[in-house]
């Protein structure tokens, strides 16, 4: 690693960085092999409710919302997301055109070129599917290659083991616990912090694409190569 020093004081300083601000996320459609990611719309609410209703554990670690009593309450919540610029919400849509999940870009800091993926709602219909992984690949590629961010973050409740495992599997690096960062539904939340950098993205991208390739699955849909192994996750 190169050392950089202040030309006047001689003290160690950081490497020079392109200070051009990153772009804000927009209403794009990110098309993949197994489905697509598109701007969340009120029209997605019906299909989303069909796959999330009666699955209360989806909402346990959400900081401010869920579970929902009925379709009407859920639809109001979906509609409330649409005007927001941060978080900027997307639907995950399968090959049949059915919305089966949500994710968002949030904590958006274009001047620092830092952005987070969050508000991740994966219904049982999306969990453990190629589309669930592909959606993360599509959004990360959009963040790094189109919008120009240099740091891509993932945060979750420290007790959310499924989210922590997912972050590592997708290639995020664990950075530690931020204590008492959030009051979530009236309770303390210590937050686990993960990140992926633009310098790490080319290898992560290659691993995503290798895992998502049709030849990585058997005729009955089982993976051959593990994404966790490709990203060097132990255990």
């Amino acid at each position: 690693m190169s050392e950089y020093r202040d030309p006047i004081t001689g003290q160690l300083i950081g490497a020079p960085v392109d200070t051009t601000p990153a772009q804000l996320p927009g209403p794009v459609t990110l098309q993949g092999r197994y489905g697509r990611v598109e701007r969340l719309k009120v029209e997605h609410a019906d299909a989303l409710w069909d796959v999330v209703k009666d699955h209360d554990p989806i909402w346990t670690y959400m900081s401010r919302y869920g579970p929902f009593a009925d379709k009407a309450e859920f639809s109001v919540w979906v509609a409330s997301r649409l005007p927001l610029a941060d978080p900027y919400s997307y639907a995950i849509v399968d090959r049949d055109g059915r919305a089966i999940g949500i994710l968002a870009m949030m904590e958006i800091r274009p001047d620092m070129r830092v952005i987070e993926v969050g508000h991740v709602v994966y219904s049982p219909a999306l969990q453990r599917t190629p589309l669930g992984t592909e959606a993360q690949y599509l959004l990360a590629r959009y963040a790094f290659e189109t919008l120009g961010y240099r740091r891509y973050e993932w945060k979750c409740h420290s007790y959310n083991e499924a989210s922590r495992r997912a972050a590592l599997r997708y290639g995020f690096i664990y950075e530690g616990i931020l204590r008492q960062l959030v009051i979530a539904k009236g309770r303390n939340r210590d937050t686990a912090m993960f990140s992926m950098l633009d310098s790490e993205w080319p290898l992560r991208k290659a691993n995503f694409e290798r895992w998502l390739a049709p030849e990585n699955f058997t005729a009955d849909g089982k993976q051959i190569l593990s994404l966790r192994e490709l990203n060097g996750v132990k255990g």
Side-chain angles (χ1 to χ4, degrees):
M1 181 181 294
S2 299
E3 285 190 355
Y4 297 88
R5 294 185 178 273
D6 184 280
I8 297 174
T9 68
Q11 293 170 288
L12 286 170
I13 55 176
V17 175
D18 179 359
T19 59
T20 305
Q23 300 176 53
L24 295 172
V28 294
T29 296
L30 307 174
Q31 185 65 52
R33 180 177 289 115
Y34 302 100
R36 65 182 184 271
V37 172
E38 65 184 28
R39 179 68 166 128
L40 182 66
K41 307 172 200 172
V42 70
E43 291 82 6
H44 291 129
D46 286 353
L48 285 166
W49 176 249
D50 286 343
V51 292
V52 303
K53 65 182 178 183
D54 302 322
H55 297 290
D56 289 356
I58 292 172
W59 309 101
T60 300
Y61 295 114
M62 296 298 179
S63 296
R64 297 183 179 87
Y65 50 79
F68 299 92
D70 52 35
K71 181 178 177 180
E73 183 181 339
F74 177 74
S75 297
V76 168
W77 174 76
V78 169
S80 75
R81 316 308 292 169
L82 307 187
L84 303 178
D86 187 352
Y88 194 90
S89 298
Y90 295 92
I92 302 170
V93 180
D94 67 14
R95 286 169 169 162
D96 297 325
R98 181 181 58 150
I100 56 175
I102 300 172
L103 38 63
M105 288 183 153
M106 57 184 286
E107 300 291 336
I108 304 166
R109 293 185 283 156
D111 288 350
M112 296 296 104
R113 293 170 53 202
V114 175
I115 199 166
E116 177 184 341
V117 55
H119 294 270
V120 178
V121 179
Y122 271 30
S123 72
L126 182 59
Q127 295 168 13
R128 299 182 179 278
T129 67
L131 177 55
T133 297
E134 184 176 57
Q136 295 292 339
Y137 159 73
L138 292 170
L139 203 66
R141 187 180 67 181
Y142 178 55
F144 286 120
E145 298 184 10
T146 300
L147 301 181
Y149 287 89
R150 67 191 191 106
R151 175 180 167 90
Y152 192 52
E153 295 180 337
W154 178 292
K155 301 189 192 84
C156 63
H157 198 300
S158 62
Y159 290 157
N160 191 345
E161 292 294 338
S163 184
R164 294 178 66 158
R165 288 194 302 269
L168 294 174
R169 177 176 176 269
Y170 296 141
F172 289 84
I173 301 299
Y174 175 63
E175 295 183 331
I177 300 291
L178 305 181
R179 299 178 299 161
Q180 296 189 182
L181 183 69
V182 173
I183 298 174
K185 299 174 181 174
R187 296 179 180 273
N188 178 62
R189 186 184 108 165
D190 294 345
T191 296
M193 169 72 81
F194 301 81
S195 72
M196 187 186 301
L197 305 182
D198 54 354
S199 59
E200 297 162 346
W201 172 241
L203 179 57
R204 301 296 186 266
K205 177 182 180 180
N207 290 341
F208 268 123
E209 292 178 350
R210 189 176 179 189
W211 188 87
L212 290 164
E215 55 268 26
N216 189 44
F217 296 92
T218 62
D220 58 356
K222 293 181 180 179
Q223 69 175 3
I224 298 171
L225 291 172
S226 160
L227 186 57
R228 287 178 64 86
E229 292 173 356
L230 287 170
N231 281 324
V233 180
K234 306 295 183 183

